[in-house]
Amino acid sequence: MLVLDGFVPWPLEVVVNYIRSGHWEDRTLPDVLLAACAQNSSRTALVRGDDRITYAELERESAGLAVLFQRHRIRPLDRVVLQLPNTPRFVTTLLALLRIGAIPVLALPGHRHNELTQLADRSGAVACVVPDRHEGFDHGELARSVLAEVNSVRHVFVDGEPAGSTQLEPDFGPDPAPVEIDPTDPALFLLSGGTTGVPKLIPRTHQDYLCGIRASSAALLDHLDPVYLAVNPVAHTAALGCPGVLGTLLAGGTAVLATTRRPAELFELIERERVSLTTLVPPLVRTWVDAARKQTVSLPRLMLQVGSAKFGMTEAREARKLLGCSMSNWFGVGEGMMTWHRVENDSGDTGGEGRPLLSADEIVVVDEHDNPLPPGREGALLVRGPYTIRAYFRAPEINADSFTSSGFFRTGDLARINADGELDVLGRIKDIVNRGGNKVPVEEVEHYLLTYPGVIDAAVFGVPDAVLGERTHAHVVMNTERPEPGAIKRHLRARGLATYKIPDRVVFAAQLPRTPVGKLDRRALAAESAGARAK
Ligand code: AMP
């Protein structure tokens, strides 16, 4: 039996309990996906622009890619950084890696040198899979720099022009060699949107991820004709497995990968492909609502699943009405837990982020000593259940902080549970800016600001924004002549910081406010900025 060093297995009694209660199956993710391919061979699995891929083609291409990976000695439990945009190739590559038992590490398209090298290093990845270029950026070159810097990385596979690396092309000759995969092992690594600089690695086992997919499908997809539209990166679990693309494939439905974010074009696509479910972050819903104020929009077949950041109930109701669709508010973390709430017009509906998907899911709000608080009281949100992890990969110190001794995950969210049992997420306890669903760890950005010559102090904080929910501002103190703010943003880009972490605004300050104990007072800065904007 292979053992993955650094992976903390689920406690045995918990495994037995979840298997007995039927939450966990004795099957792997590739098993069930390949079974769906066999059952639905002539149906359309994936659509992107004019490309339409059947389940048979999905299976065939993933087999060819599996052979390619095996030819390059990628073995069960090897980690492979997968950074592809929303293309059918993402899905076929994911399935290829899953079926050979390798563990895809799902990097976001916006990740750059910093994130990618550290992800590859921490996961001990043996390979990176990237597009040649995406949105004007040379990912091939990026992956080759990871190959040069991270010892464990042996291969770079490039979708498109390989420029000296291996081309990501299926080998349609032999069948992939059979491998044994243990459903209690990690199927994939998601990335946390947490407070530390580089995302933490979230090992999702076959059993727990499948459980989450099935639970979210039961809530959101099973009663629909399953046609899912992916607008945000499918490398993020929101569009991948909540229920997202994977839930849709398990249901024999069609996953449509959008090539645009323009509302009018998306409305047409929804109509044309008869889309029944999509997941959006609040800023995108707002662009849809703006469009719906200018043209009549009616999407009666669509269930809009809104989450990743707060979407208030009044706004949700208005959006639902203007778009003529059904709507669910949804709360989810890459670590697992999901809650949801169907938005109705009923004004007695108190809203919030709803209830967990399964009766076996536990959510509790606690005080600073981890004592549970009664309904209505604000505190820290802790979660536990059959699809919520109990440890990050290779992070013993972080695990000690992030999980309680009884296995609850500390989400870092400030929340309360209302008298009717609904979760209400109020904000973050730790310093993170939720920029329209993209999580910006402020300390990391401050660290990079301090590498600019002459910067002696820096503070990054969120300011409210009508579209994104929050935008990122940076205040910097310099002991040399001030450059133009653009120079600082360019510096951050050149240091390899992910695109979404670049501050929206850089302001020069004489000094930064500090709390009585000398800590940076980001709240004061945020309040000051909000005050300045209000004037
Ligand atoms: P990620 O792991 O990137 O999905 O980020 C998870 C975090 O996103 C949570 O801990 C929350 O801070 C935030 N989040 C997700 N959904 C919601 C929601 N519906 N309302 C408020 N915050 C949310």
Side-chain angles (χ1 to χ4, degrees):
M1 201 179 89
L2 287 169
V3 175
L4 180 57
D5 175 36
F7 167 63
V8 184
W10 283 70
L12 192 60
E13 69 280 10
V14 178
V15 175
V16 171
N17 181 16
Y18 287 148
I19 290 177
R20 275 213 191 113
S21 60
H23 289 108
W24 283 7
E25 305 158 51
D26 194 23
R27 298 180 75 187
T28 67
L29 210 46
D31 273 353
V32 290
L33 285 166
L34 291 173
C37 289
Q39 258 170 30
N40 303 289
S41 55
S42 59
R43 301 180 67 154
T44 304
L46 301 167
V47 172
R48 185 177 186 274
D50 293 333
D51 273 0
R52 303 186 84 80
I53 312 279
T54 64
Y55 277 84
E57 288 163 336
L58 165 60
E59 190 285 323
R60 186 164 173 270
E61 184 166 308
S62 76
L65 290 168
V67 172
L68 170 77
F69 291 135
Q70 286 184 328
R71 244 188 26 227
H72 287 84
R73 299 193 316 281
I74 307 229
R75 305 211 160 95
L77 300 186
D78 278 350
R79 278 78 64 211
V80 174
V81 174
L82 175 57
Q83 189 190 40
L84 288 177
N86 286 9
T87 52
R89 204 22 95 73
F90 175 99
V91 183
T92 55
T93 307
L94 180 76
L95 181 53
L97 291 168
L98 290 173
R99 65 192 285 175
I100 63 167
I103 304 175
V105 181
L106 299 184
L108 297 175
H111 284 150
R112 292 292 179 259
H113 180 264
N114 279 358
E115 289 85 10
L116 233 55
T117 42
Q118 295 189 48
L119 287 176
D121 192 35
R122 179 122 31 100
S123 64
V126 299
C128 296
V129 182
V130 292
D132 48 4
R133 295 187 79 78
H134 176 59
E135 294 185 347
F137 182 78
D138 189 337
H139 286 263
E141 192 183 306
L142 170 63
R144 281 184 287 278
S145 72
V146 175
L147 174 75
E149 288 173 42
V150 179
N151 280 338
S152 58
V153 178
R154 304 188 308 251
H155 292 293
V156 167
F157 296 92
V158 177
D159 187 24
E161 189 45 59
S165 303
T166 306
Q167 193 168 28
L168 185 71
E169 268 304 305
D171 179 341
F172 288 123
D175 285 340
V179 291
E180 247 181 63
I181 304 173
D182 184 337
T184 63
D185 274 334
L188 41 84
F189 283 177
L190 300 172
L191 308 181
S192 82
T195 46
T196 51
V198 170
K200 295 176 285 271
L201 298 167
I202 304 173
R204 301 294 302 266
T205 65
H206 294 270
Q207 284 170 313
D208 88 66
Y209 205 54
L210 202 48
C211 171
I213 296 173
R214 298 236 196 254
S216 49
S217 294
L220 288 153
L221 191 69
D222 283 353
H223 55 289
L224 305 173
D225 183 15
V227 182
Y228 179 78
L229 173 68
V231 184
N232 286 321
V234 289
H236 190 278
T237 192
L240 184 70
C242 301
V245 170
L246 295 183
T248 305
L249 294 178
L250 291 191
T254 302
V256 180
L257 308 172
T259 53
T260 175
R261 289 164 80 88
R262 287 199 197 97
E265 290 171 26
L266 289 172
F267 297 153
E268 263 179 50
L269 185 63
I270 289 168
E271 195 57 39
R272 191 168 65 243
E273 298 294 342
R274 304 176 66 81
V275 171
S276 54
L277 180 69
T278 190
T279 321
L280 291 190
V281 291
L284 267 186
V285 185
R286 292 181 186 116
T287 66
W288 286 28
V289 167
D290 276 351
R293 289 210 170 93
K294 291 175 200 133
Q295 67 177 97
T296 307
V297 177
S298 174
L299 307 167
R301 208 176 295 113
L302 183 73
M303 165 58 84
L304 193 54
Q305 180 189 359
V306 187
S308 284
K310 187 86 184 174
F311 198 50
M313 210 25 78
T314 314
E315 203 182 358
R317 280 201 201 97
E318 195 197 358
R320 179 178 170 276
K321 229 185 271 168
L322 272 165
L323 296 167
C325 63
S326 307
M327 184 177 288
S328 294
N329 260 0
W330 167 82
F331 167 90
V333 294
E335 288 80 357
M337 181 60 67
M338 292 177 244
T339 69
W340 79 294
H341 171 106
R342 197 180 164 108
V343 178
E344 306 287 358
N345 278 338
D346 173 9
S347 54
D349 161 8
T350 51
E353 282 65 51
R355 292 164 197 274
L357 295 174
L358 296 176
S359 57
D361 284 328
E362 298 166 82
I363 56 171
V364 31
V365 169
V366 298
D367 66 14
E368 62 275 29
H369 306 296
D370 282 352
N371 295 318
L373 290 166
R377 290 274 303 279
E378 291 177 15
L381 176 65
L382 309 186
V383 298
R384 183 170 77 169
Y387 56 88
T388 300
I389 62 155
R390 294 186 172 223
Y392 293 110
F393 184 65
R394 291 190 181 163
E397 280 168 23
I398 294 173
N399 285 338
D401 280 348
S402 302
F403 299 87
T404 69
S405 54
S406 49
F408 277 90
F409 167 56
R410 300 181 193 277
T411 62
D413 291 310
L414 184 70
R416 68 176 162 233
I417 295 173
N418 294 334
D420 53 8
E422 296 260 328
L423 173 69
D424 200 358
V425 178
L426 305 161
R428 294 285 308 176
I429 296 167
K430 290 194 184 159
D431 287 314
I432 199 158
V433 177
N434 191 336
R435 192 179 181 281
N438 277 320
K439 315 299 180 320
V440 182
V442 297
E443 284 182 11
E444 183 195 20
V445 184
E446 285 164 4
H447 165 77
Y448 284 103
L449 285 167
L450 287 166
T451 63
Y452 189 90
V455 172
I456 52 165
D457 208 356
V460 173
F461 54 96
V463 295
D465 181 83
V467 176
L468 287 172
E470 279 189 296
R471 248 173 222 280
T472 321
H473 279 198
H475 280 206
V476 293
V477 180
M478 309 214 42
N479 65 1
T480 55
E481 203 174 308
R482 294 170 176 179
E484 42 107 20
I488 296 206
K489 292 192 195 182
R490 282 196 296 280
H491 170 78
L492 295 179
R493 267 186 218 109
R495 298 290 301 216
L497 205 61
T499 43
Y500 60 84
K501 295 181 186 169
I502 309 293
D504 294 289
R505 187 155 180 240
V506 176
V507 171
F508 295 103
Q511 59 177 29
L512 300 178
R514 303 251 157 208
T515 64
V517 290
K519 280 191 172 181
L520 200 54
D521 194 348
R522 296 191 188 85
R523 275 170 199 247
L525 278 168
E528 196 184 290
S529 283
R533 279 151 55 97
K535 275 177 205 158

